[in-house]
């Protein structure tokens, strides 16, 4: 009998180590493994390592300015931005939840070592319904249990965890694309700030020259003090513009450095984006349909809904019985003479829920309501994506039209300034007219410098809103 029990327990362990799916599941019920997040360059590998290293800040440039293109900036952010590492680690952790749930389908084995010293004739007579006999003994044994069936509840829980892991993977992809969009915004913002700074420097130089010329004419009694004062006011305004432009450039570079993974401002030389400017897409309805099929946020909510469905099914199955096999075997080298030198038993336990204060019905209702909530979230997300795609498409078209308008505005402002300077030199106009022409030219130069970067950024936002990439 002893050998038979040991053989039964060993056969359970052998089946568990070789089987791919428990015996009570057919092939159609097997579950796919949780997905691995999309591989991107970074400090965290695509599979869970034994000891995950925390993301570290990239090394600062060796010295002087570092040239940085948009493609290089995106690659650097993917390697070192902490949000990328955080999303990837959460996706990897979600895969372990699937393994945790599926472990309930396999046998469990526990080794027990027990030593008892009791007075002869001792009995446990209070506290619970149990065998009151206590014997002196020292024993060692193994307990093995195996779930035979819970009528699909554990399988549904494993499927729910698997879909949740897929949703977390899509969230990691969404985080990656959000970081890339932030890089594009920061990069084009820094280029735009640098272009405005160049305009401000040119404006200060031109108005300094005019102020010197008017000052010389005023000294020689050829211009009034009013002309000289207006020239100095314009020069002071241009210097204020230069201070703001310098501050805005430093702020833009600080934002870019942070997105790249640096904690301090870096000395970066940004390389102009020379890709040809293209016309924005013409059909916004196609873009919205594309966004519904490709945005990782939509795909993540689809997986969350499937996960909620499986979890609701698992909570409903709480009302069904659970069948479990249990076996024990061991030896008792030190024992009371009344005890045998070994023990062993196998059995099957059927657990049938009867009354629990409506706990299971409340859990099933909760799961159903959460499933419906995920549906509502997905509908809300679709509405917001439709709105965002349409507004970004309108913004891209408006930015594209501004390219020609700002170019024409700059040409007219330059012509007006040339005419105003000529009239002022001939004494046909006052310094007020010349100042107004200078102001209009400065505004036109800034608008023209910003227009190109505004359109490239609008295209990047439209691309993100449409495809998430």
């Amino acid at each position: 009998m002893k050998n038979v029990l040991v053989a039964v327990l060993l056969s359970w362990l052998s089946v568990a180590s070789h089987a791919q799916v428990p015996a009570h599941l057919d092939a159609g019920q097997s579950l796919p493994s949780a997905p691995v997040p999309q591989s991107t360059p970074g400090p965290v590998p695509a599979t869970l390592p034994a000891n995950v290293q925390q993301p570290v800040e990239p090394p600062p440039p060796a010295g002087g300015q570092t040239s940085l293109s948009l493609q290089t900036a995106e690659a650097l952010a993917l390697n070192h931005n902490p949000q990328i590492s955080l999303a990837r680690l959460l996706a990897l952790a979600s895969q372990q939840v699937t393994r945790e749930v599926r472990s309930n389908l396999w046998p469990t084995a526990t080794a027990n070592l027990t030593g008892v010293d009791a007075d002869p004739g001792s009995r446990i007579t209070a506290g619970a319904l149990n065998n009151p006999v206590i014997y002196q003994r020292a024993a060692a044994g193994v307990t093995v249990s195996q779930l035979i069936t819970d009528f699909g509840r554990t399988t549904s829980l494993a499927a729910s965890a698997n879909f949740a892991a897929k949703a977390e993977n899509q969230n990691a992809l969404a985080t990656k694309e959000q970081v890339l969009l932030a890089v594009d915004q920061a990069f084009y913002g820094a280029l735009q700030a640098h272009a405005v700074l160049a305009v401000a420097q040119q404006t200060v130089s031109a108005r300094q020259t005019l102020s010197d010329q008017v000052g010389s004419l005023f000294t020689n009694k050829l211009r009034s003090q009013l002309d000289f004062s207006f020239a100095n006011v314009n020069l002071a305004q241009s210097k204020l513009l230069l201070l703001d432009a310098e501050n805005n450039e430093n702020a833009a570079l600080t934002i870019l450095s942070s997105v790249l993974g640096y904690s301090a401002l870096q000395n970066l030389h940004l390389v102009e984006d020379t890709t040809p400017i293209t016309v924005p897409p013409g059909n916004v309805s196609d873009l919205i349909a594309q966004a519904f099929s490709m945005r990782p946020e939509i795909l993540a909510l689809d997986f969350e809904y499937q996960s909620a469905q499986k979890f609701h099914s698992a909570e409903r199955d709480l009302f069904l019985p659970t069948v479990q096999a249990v076996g024990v075997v061991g030896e008792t080298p030190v024992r009371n003479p009344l005890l045998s030198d070994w023990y062993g038993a196998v059995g099957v336990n059927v657990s049938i829920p009867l009354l629990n204060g409506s706990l299971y019905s409340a859990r099933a209702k909760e799961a159903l309501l959460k499933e419906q909530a995920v549906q509502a979230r997905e509908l809300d997300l679709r509405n917001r994506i439709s709105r965002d795609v349409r507004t970004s498409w309108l913004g891209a078209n408006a930015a594209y039209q501004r390219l020609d308008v700002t170019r024409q505005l700059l040409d007219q402002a330059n012509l007006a300034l040339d005419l105003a300077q000529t009239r002022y030199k001939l004494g046909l106009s006052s310094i007020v007219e010349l100042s107004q022409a200078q102001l209009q030219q400065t505004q036109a130069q800034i608008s023209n410098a910003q227009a190109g970067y505004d359109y490239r950024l609008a295209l990047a936002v439209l691309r993100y809103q449409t495809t998430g990439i």
Side-chain angles (χ1 to χ4, degrees):
M1 183 64 181
K2 175 180 179 181
N3 295 333
V4 172
L5 289 173
V6 173
V8 169
L9 296 178
L10 291 177
S11 65
W12 284 0
L13 296 177
S14 176
V15 170
S17 63
H18 293 86
Q20 297 299 322
V21 180
H24 67 281
L25 295 178
D26 56 29
Q29 293 176 300
S30 62
L31 298 174
S33 59
V36 176
Q38 179 175 326
S39 177
T40 54
V44 182
T47 56
L48 188 64
N51 184 19
V52 177
Q53 297 294 325
Q54 295 297 324
V56 296
E57 180 177 320
Q65 281 190 332
T66 300
S67 296
L68 188 71
S69 65
L70 179 59
Q71 293 74 19
T72 305
E74 290 178 345
L76 191 60
L78 290 179
N79 277 332
H80 300 289
N81 190 291
Q83 296 181 28
I84 296 290
S85 301
L86 172 62
R88 188 181 294 117
L89 290 170
L90 290 176
L92 291 171
S94 67
Q95 298 177 39
Q96 304 309 306
V97 178
T98 305
R99 294 182 58 197
E100 294 167 10
V101 176
R102 294 185 67 178
S103 66
N104 293 324
L105 297 173
W106 313 116
T108 59
T110 305
N112 301 301
L113 299 175
T114 304
V116 176
D117 185 15
D119 292 333
S122 292
R123 301 292 186 267
I124 298 176
T125 57
L129 294 176
N130 56 269
N131 185 355
V133 180
I134 300 178
Y135 291 115
Q136 289 181 330
R137 66 192 182 276
V142 175
T143 301
V144 178
S145 63
Q146 167 66 60
L147 176 67
I148 296 177
T149 180
D150 58 1
F151 296 92
R153 170 170 161 75
T154 300
T155 303
S156 296
L157 289 175
S160 175
N162 189 61
F163 284 124
K166 291 181 179 180
E168 199 64 47
N169 182 62
Q170 292 299 323
N171 290 333
L173 294 179
T175 299
K176 170 190 169 184
E177 305 311 331
Q178 290 167 5
V179 169
L180 290 178
L181 176 62
V183 171
D184 291 350
Q185 291 174 326
F187 188 86
Y188 288 129
L191 284 176
Q192 189 178 79
H194 183 73
V196 172
L197 176 61
V199 171
Q201 291 171 340
Q202 295 174 2
T203 301
V204 170
S205 177
R207 294 189 182 182
Q208 182 67 61
T209 301
L210 177 62
S211 177
D212 294 342
Q213 292 174 349
V214 174
S216 177
L217 293 175
F218 169 68
T219 302
N220 294 319
K221 308 299 183 182
L222 297 177
R223 293 295 181 190
S224 66
Q225 186 176 4
L226 178 63
D227 289 353
F228 186 42
S229 297
F230 263 103
N232 287 333
V233 168
N234 292 338
L235 176 60
Q237 289 177 338
S238 66
K239 289 182 178 179
L240 288 176
L241 175 64
L242 178 60
L243 289 175
D244 290 339
E246 290 174 344
N247 179 71
N248 291 338
E249 184 186 38
N250 288 331
L253 289 175
T254 299
I255 295 174
L256 178 59
S257 299
S258 176
V259 173
L260 297 181
Y262 293 102
S263 59
L265 175 63
Q266 302 299 307
N267 188 12
L268 303 173
H269 171 67
L270 305 185
V271 179
E272 289 284 345
D273 187 1
T274 58
T275 56
I277 292 180
T278 57
V279 180
N283 193 336
V284 67
S285 298
D286 292 342
L287 297 178
I288 293 175
Q290 187 179 12
F292 285 163
S293 62
M294 296 187 64
R295 283 285 293 271
E297 295 91 340
I298 288 280
L299 300 178
L301 274 182
D302 286 340
F303 286 128
E304 283 187 30
Y305 178 65
Q306 295 179 69
S307 175
Q309 284 182 314
K310 290 295 184 180
F311 186 73
H312 177 218
S313 176
E315 293 296 88
R316 285 201 316 259
D317 291 341
L318 284 170
F319 292 100
L320 301 177
T322 299
V323 182
Q324 188 175 30
V326 181
V328 294
V329 65
E331 289 187 332
T332 312
V334 179
R335 62 192 181 278
N336 187 287
L338 297 176
L339 299 178
S340 173
D341 62 346
W342 77 278
Y343 66 92
V346 293
V348 175
N349 182 69
V350 179
S351 176
I352 304 175
L354 295 178
L355 296 174
N356 54 23
S358 301
L359 172 63
Y360 290 168
S361 60
R363 289 176 59 173
K365 185 63 175 179
E366 177 190 3
L368 176 61
L369 294 174
K370 288 184 176 180
E371 175 187 338
Q372 295 172 350
V374 174
Q375 264 189 316
R377 284 173 54 200
E378 184 170 357
L379 177 60
D380 177 66
L381 178 61
R382 287 179 178 272
N383 292 338
R384 287 188 285 112
I385 286 178
S386 177
R387 176 203 65 192
D388 293 342
V389 171
R390 192 175 297 275
T391 55
S392 60
W393 178 77
L394 292 172
N397 279 276
Y400 182 74
Q401 295 172 4
R402 283 175 58 86
L403 294 175
D404 288 335
V405 175
T406 55
R407 193 177 300 112
Q408 295 173 11
L409 175 63
L410 180 59
D411 292 340
Q412 294 300 320
N414 289 335
L415 177 60
L417 179 60
D418 291 340
L419 294 175
Q421 287 176 336
T422 301
R423 286 171 55 83
Y424 182 73
K425 290 178 181 178
L426 295 177
L428 300 178
S429 65
S430 67
I431 189 68
V432 176
E433 181 179 303
L434 179 59
S435 299
Q436 184 66 26
Q438 286 179 329
L439 177 61
Q440 291 176 345
Q441 186 205 39
T442 300
Q443 293 174 341
Q445 287 175 332
I446 292 176
S447 297
N448 186 64
Q450 292 175 334
Y453 301 117
D454 285 341
Y455 179 61
R456 290 186 183 276
L457 180 56
L459 283 182
V461 172
L462 178 60
R463 185 170 59 253
Y464 167 77
Q465 296 293 352
T466 303
T467 62
I469 58 176

